Amino acid sequence: QKEVEQNSGPLSVPEGAIASLNCTYSDRGSQSFFWYRQYSGKSPELIMSIYSNGDKEDGRFTAQLNKASQYVSLLIRDSQPSDSATYLCAALTGTASKLTFGTGTRLQVTL
Amino acid sequence: SAVISQKPSRDICQRGTSLTIQCQVDSQVTMMFWYRQQPGQSLTLIATANQGSEATYESGFVIDKFPISRPNLTFSTLTVSNLSPEDSSIYLCSVWRGGTATYEQYFGPGTRLTVT
């Protein structure tokens, strides 16, 4: 079974701090990785995609990928209360264009 | 990104009935995907809707329960049949969109189904 695993949280960080969200995957054939943000009652919104080892930065968000360790992370700098949401990690494997999702990490940014 | 609309946005249905959900995309795509998100859970892929061929269902999902239509390259419907309270979920359609450097999946706003 190809799996993507995340700590369900909640992860609580104070406003202005760095939030670190982690994800591991079991299928070494996974090629691409995605982070989605989902507010309660809303559909997932794509934040970042990452395809190669290393870091990818976009504004306050940095995605990190380590294929040798089968590990993906998302860093949110200067966390804001509006960042409070569930963050879903997803991996693309195989040739059928199907994403496998983790269970999500709930982030709470406190004032 | 992709502009995806779904109808209805929410519905309350009685058990034993069916609900058909529509998904419209702003441009042509080969594959459209249907997901289910049960309360407090992550996303589970139901099936891939291919234009011109039968949908491909994931393990645990069958055509009799979740018939799918794909009449053209911008539209698909998912029907949830013989509803039971366990079908209460958010149903989402999605598509891939991208170019040479990136290829990303985008979701519609979802349909929240409550079965009473």
Side-chain angles (χ1 to χ4, degrees), chain A residues 36-40 42-45 85-88, chain B residues 37 43:
Chain A
Y36 290 85
R37 176 175 63 198
Q38 187 173 29
Y39 293 112
S40 180
K42 302 294 185 182
S43 69
E45 171 192 8
T86 296
Y87 289 80
L88 299 166
Chain B
Q37 188 173 31
L43 280 72

Side-chain angles (χ1 to χ4, degrees), chain B residues 78-89:
Chain B
L78 169 74
T79 298
V80 189
S81 304
N82 190 23
L83 290 168
S84 68
E86 292 72 35
D87 295 319
S88 296
S89 297

Side-chain angles (χ1 to χ4, degrees), chain A residues 11 13 18-22 64 71 73-76 79 105 107:
Chain A
L11 172 65
V13 299
I18 296 175
S20 178
L21 304 162
N22 304 314
Q64 299 174 319
Y71 177 90
S73 65
L74 179 70
L75 301 178
I76 306 175
S79 295
T105 298
L107 173 66

Side-chain angles (χ1 to χ4, degrees), chain B residues 2-64:
Chain B
V3 177
I4 306 171
S5 61
Q6 285 186 236
K7 290 181 182 179
S9 59
R10 58 178 62 226
D11 207 340
I12 300 173
C13 299
Q14 292 189 342
R15 68 176 68 202
T17 63
S18 299
L19 177 69
T20 295
I21 302 166
Q22 300 178 5
C23 179
Q24 179 77 51
V25 187
D26 62 337
S27 62
Q28 295 182 346
V29 291
T30 304
M31 293 184 288
M32 296 176 73
F33 300 85
W34 287 100
Y35 287 85
R36 178 176 74 181
Q37 188 173 31
Q38 295 177 303
Q41 304 296 314
S42 190
L43 280 72
T44 301
L45 181 63
I46 297 171
T48 304
N50 308 295
Q51 199 276 332
S53 64
E54 292 288 327
T56 304
Y57 289 84
E58 297 301 303
S59 176
F61 297 95
V62 295
I63 188 171
D64 289 348

Side-chain angles (χ1 to χ4, degrees), chain A residues 6 32 34 36 38 40-46 48-49 51 56 88 92 95-104, chain B residues 10 31 33 35 37 40-45 48 56 58 90 92 96 101-110 112:
Chain A
Q6 299 179 254
S32 309
F34 306 86
Y36 290 85
Q38 187 173 29
S40 180
K42 302 294 185 182
S43 69
E45 171 192 8
L46 181 68
M48 296 278 289
S49 57
Y51 308 97
K56 178 182 178 183
L88 299 166
L92 175 64
T95 58
S97 299
K98 290 190 271 189
L99 285 181
T100 300
F101 282 85
T103 53
Chain B
R10 58 178 62 226
M31 293 184 288
F33 300 85
Y35 287 85
Q37 188 173 31
Q41 304 296 314
S42 190
L43 280 72
T44 301
L45 181 63
T48 304
T56 304
E58 297 301 303
I90 298 174
L92 297 146
W96 288 97
T102 62
Y103 194 50
E104 298 167 337
Q105 189 168 98
Y106 295 91
F107 287 86
R112 181 182 293 273

Side-chain angles (χ1 to χ4, degrees), chain B residues 63-86:
Chain B
I63 188 171
D64 289 348
K65 175 67 175 178
F66 299 98
I68 287 172
S69 77
R70 184 76 200 276
N72 59 53
L73 290 172
T74 63
F75 186 80
S76 177
T77 68
L78 169 74
T79 298
V80 189
S81 304
N82 190 23
L83 290 168
S84 68
E86 292 72 35

